[in-house]
Amino acid sequence: MLRPCRLAVMAAVAAAGFALSGPSHAQTIRVEAESFVPPNAVATMGSGPNESKVVTVDQNASASGGFTIGWFGSWDWLEYNVTAPADGIYNMSFFYGDGDGAMDPLPVDLTFFTTGKQYLVGNIHPTPVSSPSWAFSNYTTVVAAPSDGAAPFAIPLKSGVNRFRVAIRPDFILAGAMNIDYMEFTKTADAYPALQAITGVVSSQIGGVSTPLGGAMVSDGPDYHTAANVTRTDGSGAFTLWVPAGSYSLTAFANGFTASTVSASSPSATNFSLTWNGRYEAELLDSTNTGPEVGNGDQPAYDTQHSLSNKGEIVNSAPGKYAEYKSVYAPADGVYDVSIHYSAMSAAVGDPGYLLWTVNQTSTVKAVYTATSITDFLTYQDSTAPALMTLKKGLNTLRFADANAGPPVTPSANIDYFTVAPSTQPHGTLKVIVTNSVNGNPISGANITIPAAAPQLTAQTGGDGSVSIPVPPGTYTVTASKSGTAGPVTAAPATVADGQTVNVPIQLTVSGVSVEAEDFVAGGPGVPPATITAVGSASNGKVVTGFTGSYLQGWLEWNVNVTEDGLYRMTLQYAVPPDGSDAIVHPVYPIDMTVSATPSTFHVNTSYYLDTSQIPPAKVPIIPRTADGDTYASFDLVNDSQAQALVPLKAGSNRVRISLASGTMNLDYLQFTKLAAYPTNYRTITGTIYGSDGVGSAPIAGAAVWQNNSTLHTTFNEAQFATTTDAAGHYSLTAVSGAFLNASVNGFIATTPYISVPAGTATKDVTLNVNPPTPPDTGTEKMDAFKLSIADTRLSTNENMITFTQPGAYFGWTINVPRSGQYQVGMNYSSGWNSGDGLPVKTTWTVNGVPQEVDFAKTTSWTDFQFFPSIATIPLNAGGNTVRVDFIDAGANIVYLTLLRTGSIPPPVSTDIDNSGKTDIIDAVIYARRLGGLEAGAKPDLTGDGLSNAADVARILRVAGGLN
């Protein structure tokens, strides 16, 4: 059913000088375990790193929200937001499964950064308790309490969004894991404790400049692990700690700095200035990967040993694993020695092991350590050969990865901490300068290798085409390469002495046109479609990250300008992160990519090829994975037969689109190199695609048009030439002579089998009929729900439905109808969100910019799909309409929509409510007062939806603002 839009009414009423309020009452707020959010600080202090790469999001039809969190174990943590309507006291409970029978109880820390409260939960037991097993599918509810039989924690929440962390923290004996379906907060009291705020900033003198330390921990007491009151600084180093009035001993800690303790009273302002000591605890990570067994759900290797520093926590390196630190400070630009405090076991003491350090994503250095024992990992020492690294003043990112071949060839290390200090080793500098051989311009992002160096070195040039590499005294051979150039070039050997800088010039021949990935001009349906990330080693210093088709059919577009017509090789400089595959939707191949180019409307799918040598034939990915999301490689576009795909481009501006049906990739740049002349047998066909319901007809926006083969009947994704219509239904398609066309769009029947376009025909219009669905909705237009035009990235789609909807999430469609009018919306969906609570799923539908609220009933479970023929009535114009759905409360899995025209849209009514001769905000206030029963008077239907509601207030405001 429809209800007035609450937000618009409240805003208008507030403008008139009135406030809305209601009685307080107990309530329960559910937080789905899968709705975790990224950390909101520079450094992630505490146990971690524990991102989505570590835990798993598992489909579970019987679970709340349809998903659970799995593999949530020792050293893992996840962060969440819970929105409280007002200050209050809450109990918290977990709906969880824990089959780890040997671990009783599972120690869990709850940290509420918004209020600064931390709790140790001690009553999470294996399920079922009576017969411990490894059955993590047995779920039960436990209220967070310090121990069995103890009173639940009284957790204060502030009004609005509260950020909290759930961490599983074993000691030397206890460990374990659990699966979580959801957490709930139940309000027990409106009375809020009398808390006072201690605020301040944590900073340090870095190179003589006061530098804020983001992600530092501030706790009541010397140990943030166990403190009852603890908070974290934001990116500007600021913190707020809510505590009862009184005196406190506060400690501030940041990795790489000496902790500082001061006395403070609440309320007060207390600042900390920490001293850099260059010692970084290895376990305080920003990110990591799980190593080569990620598919098996293995966790990153952490351990506890009481003899070590900072609670005895270490990081274990092993082949295929890495650990990353984004908050490594340096007091000045320069060369530093980086040493590890470690243990390593091998066949003989002194056996060599190797760590590959990556510095600011621009260079790598291979460091050597030696085995410390042949019997155990309890003997620790400092590495005797520190790695030479160039660090910039302030914040640096360091990553180390195990570079060993694996036991028994070389040892792996348990790393307690690493130290960073200005270098005292003899060293010189190789300054490599890479330029264009034609015009002498610098070439950024060129790959530099020094294979004969000991240790081995790699680097990438910056924006000025140069990079400085510290090396021990000696003679070195330097090679430079970059995609889009004629090939790698090796300079003459260069000899460098202690304290000396030697220039190494190298010229590369550029052979194509480059387009930076971050210069995309359009994208969707996810909003934002991708993230632009600063990476010093990248071409132009930036890359696109998080470009995904794992949950949505994601796409990006670029303008590509070439000087002449031709067939061009397209090369991607890309990286496929280790977690790039979507195990739920596409378990076989990580990337399902389609490339399109206009005005030549070239179209190629490159996902996998069928390896018929295997029995049965297997799908093999065409786009290979890279070592990780920061290791970039080149890929020349091929089709799904592994044949080279040359893109036809016209002189001037061309629009190139990459869309992903599955997988996730990062992109540095796109390279286009002309290899052949433009074909002479290409011709252009233009026209308009119309939609008809047998009574009316209108142009269709976003219709797919492609060249077919009369024998094979190719689909849009298989077609070499394909395009889509614009907002007016027009298309322009390049095709070979003797073309056959097909057209399709959501809600209409595709042309079957094809349309012949005789040679010499330059224009061809096509009419599609509405898609009549099966009973019970005969006679209406039927649309697949998952074909979205915009979407929140928290959503998920597959070839059947939209899933993972939740409060705050949204999506949208372009809906085409042949005639304008009022349309009754039917929907096939399921909703097991708190099923049985008697409350509806609450949404706001914004149709062509005008919002209205739509409530619809929940079903009995997430697997109970039902068709409801009338959940709303919306006004639609002939042709394309933009419709956005925002979830206000609860969620639903949506399979399809139906649209049944029930009448015409009434003519517009005057928005001048007070008859003043103009439409302004006063008219909106008067209308809102009448809606709220605060004033008598007419409430005309201004939108044609048949109702007097907040949509009418919104229309008045749009007219007053000159938008309508």
Side-chain angles (χ1 to χ4, degrees):
M1 67 178 184
L2 303 179
R3 299 185 297 109
C5 183
R6 294 169 293 174
L7 297 179
V9 171
M10 291 176 68
V13 171
F18 292 85
L20 301 178
S21 62
S24 62
H25 56 277
Q27 65 176 27
T28 296
I29 306 168
R30 178 169 293 187
V31 179
E32 296 293 337
E34 66 271 12
S35 64
F36 55 87
V37 290
N40 63 350
V42 176
T44 55
M45 294 299 181
S47 63
N50 314 322
E51 307 166 333
S52 59
K53 297 177 184 178
V54 177
V55 300
T56 59
V57 179
D58 302 325
Q59 277 190 324
N60 187 327
S62 62
S64 174
F67 296 87
T68 60
I69 286 294
W71 293 107
F72 188 41
S74 305
W75 299 106
D76 287 351
W77 56 256
L78 293 169
E79 289 188 0
Y80 297 88
N81 288 329
V82 55
T83 302
D87 292 356
I89 301 298
Y90 291 77
N91 290 342
M92 180 183 178
S93 65
F94 293 87
F95 190 63
Y96 76 102
D98 178 4
D100 196 350
M103 305 306 160
D104 185 15
L106 183 69
V108 173
D109 275 357
L110 296 173
T111 306
F112 290 82
F113 293 111
T114 306
T115 56
K117 302 299 178 184
Q118 185 164 262
Y119 307 90
L120 176 61
V121 180
N123 64 332
I124 295 182
H125 295 270
T127 54
V129 176
S130 58
S131 57
S133 70
W134 292 98
F136 282 87
S137 59
N138 296 320
Y139 281 81
T140 189
T141 299
V142 64
V143 178
S147 61
D148 292 331
F153 290 119
I155 300 174
L157 297 181
K158 301 290 291 182
S159 174
V161 176
N162 295 259
R163 178 65 68 98
F164 69 97
R165 174 183 289 184
V166 180
I168 299 180
R169 293 187 50 82
D171 59 22
F172 188 61
I173 299 174
L174 297 179
M178 64 176 173
N179 296 350
I180 306 178
D181 187 354
Y182 57 83
M183 294 152 283
E184 289 187 331
F185 293 85
T186 302
K187 192 173 185 180
T188 60
D190 290 324
Y192 194 79
L195 301 179
Q196 306 288 339
I198 301 177
T199 61
V201 174
V202 178
S203 62
S204 180
Q205 293 292 318
I206 303 295
V209 178
S210 181
T211 303
L213 300 180
M217 303 297 289
V218 178
S219 60
D220 171 23
D223 184 2
Y224 66 85
H225 292 87
T226 58
N229 301 298
V230 63
T231 191
R232 182 178 61 195
T233 61
D234 61 19
S236 63
F239 72 90
T240 300
L241 186 67
W242 294 91
V243 292
S247 298
Y248 296 87
S249 176
L250 300 185
T251 298
F253 169 79
N255 208 10
F257 296 83
T258 302
S260 175
T261 300
V262 301
S263 297
S265 300
S266 62
S268 68
T270 301
N271 296 327
F272 292 87
S273 181
L274 305 187
T275 301
W276 180 71
N277 60 18
R279 173 168 160 160
Y280 294 87
E281 296 293 337
E283 71 278 2
L284 298 184
L285 298 166
D286 292 285
S287 63
T288 187
N289 73 338
T290 59
E293 296 182 301
V294 62
N296 297 327
D298 290 359
Q299 301 301 303
Y302 296 88
D303 203 350
T304 55
Q305 293 182 9
H306 282 284
S307 62
L308 302 183
S309 64
N310 196 41
K311 308 299 272 188
E313 300 161 4
I314 62 173
V315 168
N316 167 253
S317 71
K321 297 183 178 181
Y322 70 77
E324 185 171 76
Y325 308 83
K326 298 179 180 178
S327 301
V328 178
Y329 287 86
D333 293 341
V335 178
Y336 287 78
D337 291 336
V338 178
S339 233
I340 60 172
H341 187 71
Y342 74 102
S343 69
M345 186 173 67
S346 187
V349 174
D351 282 351
Y354 305 93
L355 285 183
L356 189 67
W357 288 89
T358 302
V359 185
N360 293 322
Q361 299 178 328
T362 62
S363 62
T364 63
V365 56
K366 194 173 183 180
V368 181
Y369 62 85
T370 57
T372 60
S373 173
I374 61 173
T375 58
D376 55 46
F377 282 99
L378 299 178
T379 302
Y380 278 76
Q381 67 182 35
D382 292 324
S383 52
T384 57
L388 281 173
M389 299 183 191
T390 299
L391 301 181
K392 60 185 179 180
K393 177 182 176 181
L395 207 62
N396 295 264
T397 297
L398 296 185
R399 168 187 288 190
F400 66 77
D402 191 295
N404 294 306
V409 179
T410 51
S412 60
N414 284 350
I415 300 174
D416 180 12
Y417 58 86
F418 63 90
T419 57
V420 177
S423 179
T424 59
Q425 299 183 77
H427 66 273
T429 301
L430 292 172
K431 184 175 182 180
V432 185
I433 306 165
V434 182
T435 56
N436 189 323
S437 63
V438 176
N439 54 26
N441 291 335
I443 296 179
S444 62
N447 298 308
I448 308 301
T449 59
I450 309 177
Q456 178 176 325
L457 299 170
T458 70
Q460 287 192 334
T461 56
D464 63 352
S466 73
V467 61
S468 295
I469 305 172
V471 292
T475 300
Y476 301 92
T477 300
V478 181
T479 299
S481 64
K482 184 178 180 180
S483 178
T485 64
V489 175
T490 300
T495 300
V496 60
D498 183 24
Q500 182 184 26
T501 297
V502 175
N503 291 338
V504 181
I506 299 178
Q507 290 189 327
L508 297 178
T509 301
V510 178
S511 57
V513 175
S514 289
V515 178
E516 297 296 334
E518 67 271 14
D519 292 336
F520 60 85
V521 293
V527 181
T531 301
I532 297 175
T533 303
V535 174
S537 61
S539 174
N540 203 39
K542 298 177 183 177
V543 297
V544 164
T545 58
F547 177 32
T548 183
S550 296
Y551 301 108
L552 300 166
Q553 302 281 323
W555 58 271
L556 293 173
E557 286 186 353
W558 295 265
N559 285 328
V560 178
N561 289 282
V562 296
T563 57
E564 56 183 340
D565 297 353
L567 295 179
Y568 286 76
R569 179 182 65 208
M570 177 178 169
T571 302
L572 300 182
Q573 187 75 357
Y574 78 102
V576 176
D579 61 342
S581 63
D582 181 357
I584 296 173
V585 181
H586 292 287
V588 177
Y589 47 92
I591 297 292
D592 184 354
M593 185 178 79
T594 300
V595 176
S596 306
T598 57
S600 53
T601 59
F602 177 80
H603 186 270
V604 61
N605 182 274
T606 180
S607 54
Y608 65 89
Y609 73 92
L610 201 61
D611 184 358
T612 56
S613 66
Q614 300 188 41
I615 301 175
K619 294 178 178 179
V620 179
I622 287 180
I623 304 177
R625 297 179 184 272
T626 58
D628 53 62
D630 298 322
T631 301
Y632 284 78
S634 296
F635 171 74
D636 291 337
L637 185 65
V638 297
N639 59 30
D640 54 14
S641 297
Q642 292 186 287
Q644 186 177 52
L646 297 182
V647 182
L649 301 178
K650 302 290 288 184
S653 181
N654 300 260
R655 185 66 67 92
V656 173
R657 169 183 287 196
I658 295 178
S659 57
L660 299 181
S662 73
T664 299
M665 69 190 317
N666 302 337
L667 286 171
D668 187 357
Y669 58 84
L670 292 71
Q671 185 83 20
F672 296 86
T673 306
K674 183 180 176 183
L675 296 184
Y678 196 83
T680 58
N681 64 335
Y682 285 5
R683 65 172 173 138
T684 300
I685 304 171
T686 62
T688 302
I689 307 298
Y690 294 92
S692 172
D693 61 0
V695 178
S697 179
I700 294 179
V705 183
W706 67 97
Q707 182 182 16
N708 210 327
N709 180 300
S710 62
T711 303
L712 298 178
H713 305 309
T714 55
T715 65
F716 176 79
N717 280 337
E718 295 169 337
Q720 186 177 17
F721 298 102
T723 189
T724 55
T725 59
D726 61 18
H730 299 317
Y731 74 90
S732 177
L733 179 72
T734 297
V736 297
S737 297
F740 296 88
L741 296 186
N742 268 109
S744 70
V745 73
N746 199 14
F748 294 79
I749 300 174
T751 55
T752 305
Y754 56 85
I755 300 168
S756 177
V757 185
T761 303
T763 301
K764 186 66 177 180
D765 295 343
V766 179
T767 297
L768 305 178
N769 295 318
V770 296
N771 180 24
T774 58
D777 45 320
T778 302
T780 63
E781 178 181 329
K782 180 180 178 181
M783 290 179 49
D784 292 320
F786 69 89
K787 297 178 180 178
L788 301 173
S789 58
I790 60 169
D792 189 302
T793 53
R794 288 172 289 182
L795 297 175
S796 176
T797 63
N798 55 36
E799 293 85 346
N800 298 308
M801 70 183 77
I802 303 169
T803 63
F804 218 173
T805 54
Q806 57 187 288
Y810 63 88
F811 57 81
W813 304 281
T814 296
I815 294 181
N816 288 275
V817 293
R819 291 181 291 158
S820 64
Q822 297 281 79
Y823 281 80
Q824 176 181 295
V825 179
M827 194 161 73
N828 183 281
Y829 68 91
S830 72
S831 177
W833 195 294
N834 291 344
S835 181
D837 63 4
L839 300 175
V841 179
K842 298 179 180 180
T843 61
T844 297
W845 291 47
T846 302
V847 182
N848 295 324
V850 180
Q852 62 188 56
E853 288 212 347
V854 177
D855 291 357
F856 52 89
K858 298 171 183 174
T859 61
T860 59
S861 69
W862 287 108
T863 58
D864 177 23
F865 286 88
Q866 298 186 41
F867 174 74
F868 294 83
S870 180
I871 66 161
T873 297
I874 59 176
L876 298 175
N877 301 321
N881 299 262
T882 61
V883 178
R884 169 171 164 155
V885 178
D886 288 79
F887 281 82
I888 307 304
D889 192 13
N893 296 336
I894 304 174
V895 181
Y896 66 82
L897 304 178
T898 61
L899 301 165
L900 174 64
R901 190 177 186 275
T902 57
S904 301
I905 299 176
V909 181
S910 174
T911 54
D912 180 15
I913 304 301
D914 63 357
N915 298 313
S916 64
K918 65 178 180 178
T919 299
D920 54 25
I921 194 172
I922 299 301
D923 297 297
V925 172
I926 294 172
Y927 200 106
R929 287 171 59 85
R930 293 177 182 177
L931 285 178
L934 303 175
E935 179 179 307
K939 303 183 289 292
D941 175 16
L942 305 177
T943 64
D945 62 1
L947 299 170
S948 298
N949 56 22
D952 302 296
V953 177
R955 174 166 172 77
I956 296 171
L957 293 173
R958 287 175 61 84
V959 173
L963 301 176
N964 230 325

